[in-house]
Amino acid sequence: MKDFNKFLGTAKYIASEPLQNAVNVAIALGRPLLVKGEPGTGKTLLAHNIARGLGKKLIVWNIKSTTKAKDGLYIYDTVQRLNDSRFGDRDVSDIRQYIKYGKLGEAFASDEQVVLLIDEIDKADLEFPNDLLNELDEMSFHIPETGETIRAKHRPIVIITSNSEKELPDAFLRRCIFHYIEFPDRQMMEEIVKVHYPDIDKRLLHEALKKFYHLRKIESLKKKPSTSELLDWLQALIAGGISYRKLRSELVFAGALLKNEADFMHLPRNEAV
């Protein structure tokens, strides 16, 4: 594995050693990296920081329930061609000018290697992952309208995220390197917090993490607070000038942590959690 292709995290993204290894193995093998983990564990931010850490351009393909695999390859703009044939003075016989690359097409056409994020692949229908198999394997796709085959100039670094809303096909999983991002333990969480708030009072951080992890242990919570919510909460505490003593006796600004009405029922008012 070449040193210049190694991902070691960034100043703004603390990556565990297993996560670093998964990224670097995927790069070395030229395989997509499928990343799972509970919301707020940094799945999407991973791709952004791989691009930042390796000095590469990032292309983001946000998947929706209506997204089709072909959307990521190219779009044939028939409406524009029709308008040009009726009202314009362009030569509409050249179909190539009406072919617009999707995000995967952009990654293939790039003159340099890019990082391609396929975000929340499980939002699409069940056939979507299988429809991408050939393109991700062969790093090429065919455009019937022009008779051209587009081949990747450089194999992109493909990061795929999933929230496990749907099971992904076995054939697709076999072609991916897989990593599940575990929720950070307290020690790693302290490192993450200090990246964002290097001057935070140690006593305030101690009390905040104590309450945060206590909340996450409550099995009946509908939505456990995540890393992103912890960071928002800490920012609110700092901005509000909340002392560690006050936090010790009261869960201040609980709305930054809990996002479901029923979850507030588990909290004694004005008491330690």
Side-chain angles (χ1 to χ4, degrees):
M1 201 178 300
K2 296 180 180 179
D3 288 341
F4 65 82
N5 266 342
K6 283 187 177 179
F7 173 69
L8 302 173
T10 68
K12 292 293 184 180
Y13 191 93
I14 305 297
S16 66
E17 185 175 348
L19 178 55
Q20 292 178 33
N21 290 339
V23 171
N24 292 318
V25 166
I27 294 173
L29 297 181
R31 295 286 187 91
L33 174 63
L34 174 62
V35 184
K36 291 188 177 183
E38 68 175 86
T41 49
K43 301 186 295 296
T44 298
L45 285 176
L46 173 63
H48 289 260
N49 282 277
I50 291 173
R52 184 176 295 114
L54 301 181
K56 298 184 182 295
K57 177 184 175 182
L58 174 68
I59 295 176
V60 179
W61 186 8
N62 292 306
I63 306 302
K64 301 177 181 178
S65 60
T66 56
T67 302
K68 303 298 181 184
K70 185 180 177 182
D71 298 339
L73 304 177
Y74 73 96
I75 297 171
Y76 173 32
D77 194 344
T78 55
V79 174
Q80 184 62 53
R81 188 182 183 208
L82 177 61
N83 286 337
D84 286 347
S85 67
R86 295 175 63 189
F87 309 113
D89 55 0
R90 299 171 68 177
D91 179 9
V92 297
S93 64
D94 183 7
I95 296 179
R96 290 181 180 86
Q97 62 186 318
Y98 301 103
I99 299 295
K100 299 178 181 179
Y101 289 140
K103 299 298 184 180
L104 189 56
E106 286 181 26
F108 284 5
S110 176
D111 290 327
E112 58 184 11
Q113 186 183 47
V114 301
V115 176
L116 172 65
L117 169 61
I118 303 177
D119 203 21
E120 299 187 326
I121 193 172
D122 50 327
K123 281 188 174 180
D125 64 41
L126 293 174
E127 293 305 314
F128 179 84
N130 281 335
D131 290 344
L132 285 179
L133 286 179
N134 184 68
E135 286 73 17
L136 291 176
D137 270 351
E138 302 297 329
M139 284 288 140
S140 66
F141 63 91
H142 184 66
I143 303 179
E145 290 84 356
T146 63
E148 294 178 297
T149 296
I150 306 301
R151 293 182 173 82
K153 296 179 181 179
H154 302 276
R155 180 177 286 269
I157 299 170
V158 181
I159 309 299
I160 303 171
T161 70
S162 170
N163 287 322
S164 301
E165 292 182 9
K166 298 187 185 82
E167 289 295 325
L168 298 174
D170 288 344
F172 180 79
L173 294 174
R174 283 196 297 270
R175 289 164 170 81
C176 297
I177 303 299
F178 175 79
H179 184 78
Y180 184 89
I181 300 182
E182 297 286 350
F183 195 84
D185 60 20
R186 183 162 178 153
Q187 181 179 352
M188 174 167 277
M189 189 64 83
E190 285 190 15
E191 292 182 39
I192 293 171
V193 169
K194 289 176 180 176
V195 164
H196 295 270
Y197 308 114
D199 300 322
I200 190 171
D201 182 271
K202 292 181 180 179
R203 296 166 298 181
L204 178 64
L205 177 57
H206 173 79
E207 290 299 328
L209 290 179
K210 181 179 177 181
K211 288 188 178 293
F212 175 75
Y213 280 101
H214 185 93
L215 280 176
R216 285 188 54 82
K217 288 180 181 178
I218 300 175
E219 293 296 332
S220 53
L221 285 185
K222 290 183 176 293
K223 184 185 183 307
K224 294 182 179 181
S226 67
T227 304
S228 59
E229 286 151 351
L230 171 64
L231 294 175
D232 288 343
W233 183 48
L234 289 171
Q235 185 177 10
L237 294 175
I238 294 169
I242 303 302
S243 70
Y244 73 94
R245 292 185 182 89
K246 183 174 179 62
L247 189 60
R248 184 177 291 168
S249 61
E250 182 182 350
L251 185 63
V252 187
F253 305 146
L257 288 173
L258 302 178
K259 304 300 174 68
N260 187 285
E261 182 180 358
D263 289 342
F264 282 86
M265 304 301 293
H266 298 285
L267 304 180
R269 292 186 179 277
N270 300 320
E271 293 182 15
V273 182

